Amino acid sequence: MAKQKRSKSEAVIKRDKRIMIKTTREPYGFVADHGEGDYVYDVDGNEFIDFTTFISVYNMGVNTNQSIRNATKSQMDKLTHSAFTDFYAEKPVEFAELLTSFMPAGFGRVFLSNSGTEANEAAIKFSKIFSKRIYTLAFYNAFHGRTKGSLALTASNSVQRAYNGPFPDTIHVPYPYCYRCPFKQTYPDCGFSCIDYIKKFPLSKEVNPKEVSAFIVEPIQGEGGYIVPPKDYFKELRKLLDQHSIIFIDDEVQAGYMRTGKFLALENFGVTADIYTMAKSIGAGFPMGATITKNSLGNIPEGSHANTFGGNLAIAAGAYEQLKQIKHNHTKMKSSIVRKGLVVKKRLEQMQDTYEMVGDVRGIGLMLAIEIIKDRGSKEPAPKKRENIIMDSFSEGLLLLPAGESSIRIIPPLTVSESSLRKGLDILEGAIRRNSKLQIKS
Ligand SMILES: Cc1ncc(COP(=O)(O)O)c(C=O)c1O
């Protein structure tokens, strides 16, 4: 590929670094300009295949599609904001009705907000109100957001929590990360030592289970490294929670909205939760969060929770149009995600067979990742090699994002064409080959 032009990008980055508070910018310095479908372009006109969906947001293609954008535009000409938690409006209600049609039976209450963190804040607050209990359980390696309440649940990187603790009402336990089992055991022989640990330690030595309000889970850990639990894990966990009437909160912010081929990623594990949270893709490129509760939990007292922008009319109009498209194409979409996911996974597994540094391949549907390691013997994470692969892919026209300590996520739009997938995977493999000292097979 010809060397990319960078002058306009560099100029924006220079101005940005002077004025903006630091966040989590990727080292390759992509400066967005426009995009559609599988492709996105930077301000210098360089073209990239998108394997990031801009952090799991553009599930329906980069910049969604014309009819979704038209729905937002025509609502903008009528009224954008209506203070939906104070005054009534039809659009957000219509959206919530459609959203609950994708939920398991008995889910009929929705709170609309502006982000994943806000959806999780609401879930935690509601569960405490419903249960009248104090503690929340969450996983190490979890990512649930960056505002104070959800930050207490997040434990994937200590820098995110620095100087903000203590978080006295949250207890963390190990996630079932079988590739690096914290108990050094192997599934299924382990008989779920990680669940035994929860029973024997936090729930007997630290707190009485009757004081625990909720357990929040990611069905597939996202920022933590795209970690997929064993098939029966959540069934076992659900049994434990039911035994103590602990509310099961399922954070579908990254894994949900058809990403795994099912509307909710938890469906892959054959269990239902009591509260679901969603964000990212549901807003069709705009900020939106949703907290959906089971009817049998009841309702919260009037006045105990609200916001200014939740249920914004223009956002609800685009979100509704997007969800309507999913409803109409549901069966076709499901099978296409599963089919494309299998194609990608097979190709990644071939890379694992060929290059020693590809230690693990995991994921469901089009939520996939590879874990980059130093060698198969030690399985030591190789974050520098991971960065080199991502940078190299960028210079060849593929956008990738890291996850966890040394994984690379592969999350193209769900609408991606098979030829874009193939092109992207060729670029990825080229980058792995160039950064690989040792090939198992040549
Ligand atoms: C699983 C999960 N929950 C919550 C969040 C927080 O979402 P937001 O950045 O919209 O606050 C994220 C963000 O990456 C996430 O992946």
Side-chain angles (χ1 to χ4, degrees):
M1 192 196 223
K3 199 166 162 13
Q4 287 163 345
K5 285 185 254 153
R6 291 285 300 160
S7 58
K8 288 186 184 161
S9 296
E10 295 302 345
V12 174
I13 291 170
K14 204 165 154 198
R15 283 167 57 205
D16 179 291
K17 283 192 189 299
R18 231 181 271 135
I19 190 87
M20 306 306 292
I21 297 270
K22 282 186 191 167
T23 55
T24 53
R25 293 284 175 53
E26 294 310 320
Y28 45 74
F30 172 72
V31 183
D33 188 68
H34 64 283
E36 180 95 35
D38 304 343
Y39 287 90
V40 66
Y41 299 82
D42 70 10
V43 284
D44 287 293
N46 300 305
E47 179 184 88
F48 298 87
I49 298 170
D50 173 35
F51 272 16
T52 72
T53 27
F54 289 78
I55 327 186
S56 206
V57 168
Y58 284 137
N59 278 9
M60 297 298 277
V62 175
N63 212 22
T64 66
N65 59 46
Q66 194 62 59
S67 31
I68 296 171
R69 295 196 296 265
N70 284 346
T72 313
K73 284 180 199 170
S74 54
Q75 181 60 46
M76 281 173 74
D77 289 336
K78 278 172 80 183
L79 190 67
T80 51
H81 167 70
S82 72
F84 179 66
T85 62
D86 288 49
F87 305 120
Y88 294 97
E90 188 178 3
K91 259 300 156 221
V93 173
E94 193 175 37
F95 169 73
E97 285 165 351
L98 188 55
L99 182 63
T100 51
S101 76
F102 286 90
M103 294 289 145
F107 277 79
R109 292 198 195 282
V110 179
F111 174 73
L112 294 175
S113 55
N114 306 283
S115 62
T117 198
E118 201 187 338
N120 285 332
E121 293 275 350
I124 294 304
K125 186 170 173 183
F126 297 168
S127 61
K128 288 181 189 236
I129 295 173
F130 291 141
S131 66
K132 300 186 172 52
R133 297 178 180 186
I134 302 293
Y135 291 94
T136 308
L137 288 175
F139 286 112
Y140 286 115
N141 238 10
F143 190 91
H144 296 291
R146 306 164 177 95
T147 52
K148 193 92 183 202
S150 64
L151 185 62
L153 312 169
T154 291
S156 61
N157 192 339
S158 58
V159 71
Q160 291 158 349
R161 295 159 59 97
Y163 313 116
N164 273 276
F167 301 103
D169 57 354
T170 309
I171 297 166
H172 287 97
V173 299
Y175 198 74
Y177 185 6
C178 296
Y179 183 65
R180 298 183 186 283
C181 174
F183 302 95
K184 307 262 180 278
Q185 297 195 10
T186 313
Y187 176 78
D189 299 341
C190 63
F192 290 119
S193 306
C194 42
I195 291 188
D196 263 359
Y197 169 88
I198 301 170
K199 291 180 196 163
K200 284 191 191 142
F201 293 94
L203 292 189
S204 60
K205 310 280 179 207
E206 223 170 327
V207 288
N208 185 315
K210 293 201 166 23
E211 293 179 79
V212 178
S213 145
F215 195 142
I216 184 162
V217 316
E218 286 166 274
I220 297 175
Q221 258 185 352
E223 304 302 303
Y226 279 40
I227 302 160
V228 186
K231 186 107 185 101
D232 290 332
Y233 176 81
F234 288 116
K235 277 192 193 140
E236 282 302 305
L237 185 68
R238 175 91 241 194
K239 272 191 229 157
L240 175 65
L241 303 189
D242 285 347
Q243 205 184 325
H244 302 293
S245 306
I246 296 170
I247 293 171
F248 188 130
I249 303 173
D250 174 25
D251 176 343
E252 293 274 345
V253 169
Q254 184 152 175
Y257 210 79
M258 303 298 293
R259 173 65 39 204
T260 65
K262 308 229 188 252
F263 191 74
L264 300 167
L266 194 63
E267 290 174 51
N268 293 293
F269 300 91
V271 288
T272 56
D274 302 310
I275 301 180
Y276 292 96
T277 62
M278 303 192 83
K280 292 194 184 281
S281 252
I282 61 163
F286 287 96
M288 179 187 256
T291 309
I292 309 116
T293 66
K294 199 153 95 175
N295 298 340
S296 57
L297 289 171
N299 210 331
I300 59 166
E302 179 86 31
S304 54
H305 202 62
N307 56 17
T308 300
F309 281 112
N312 175 278
L313 301 188
I315 298 178
Y320 176 72
E321 174 59 31
Q322 177 175 258
L323 202 51
K324 214 169 67 179
Q325 290 182 7
I326 293 181
K327 191 87 184 174
H328 288 156
N329 298 314
H330 200 199
T331 314
K332 235 166 100 188
M333 219 176 143
K334 269 163 118 171
S335 56
S336 129
I337 295 163
V338 171
R339 191 187 66 251
K340 289 186 278 195
L342 289 175
V343 169
V344 181
K345 203 165 188 185
K346 191 163 165 217
R347 180 78 189 272
L348 297 174
E349 282 165 353
Q350 284 163 358
M351 294 182 206
Q352 185 183 25
D353 288 344
T354 310
Y355 307 100
E356 168 144 36
M357 62 154 69
V358 181
D360 196 23
V361 173
R362 53 186 178 243
I364 306 178
L366 282 170
M367 182 169 186
L368 296 162
I370 51 175
E371 183 159 334
I372 305 298
I373 54 167
K374 289 202 173 137
D375 59 80
R376 295 280 165 97
S378 70
K379 292 208 246 172
E380 199 182 319
K384 187 64 200 147
K385 278 189 190 175
R386 186 250 316 257
E387 185 177 318
N388 292 344
I389 293 165
I390 292 178
M391 297 286 281
D392 188 328
S393 300
F394 177 76
S395 63
E396 295 295 313
L398 173 66
L399 274 195
L400 289 169
L401 278 172
E405 203 176 342
S406 66
S407 298
I408 299 173
R409 46 188 133 182
I410 288 109
I411 42 168
L414 305 177
T415 51
V416 65
S417 72
E418 302 214 5
S419 75
S420 302
L421 270 182
R422 215 171 312 113
K423 261 199 218 163
L425 289 165
D426 287 346
I427 295 176
L428 174 64
E429 180 161 5
I432 292 174
R433 191 184 318 111
R434 283 187 289 281
N435 285 282
S436 229
K437 274 206 209 89
L438 201 57
Q439 285 192 23
I440 297 166
K441 281 193 303 208
S442 52

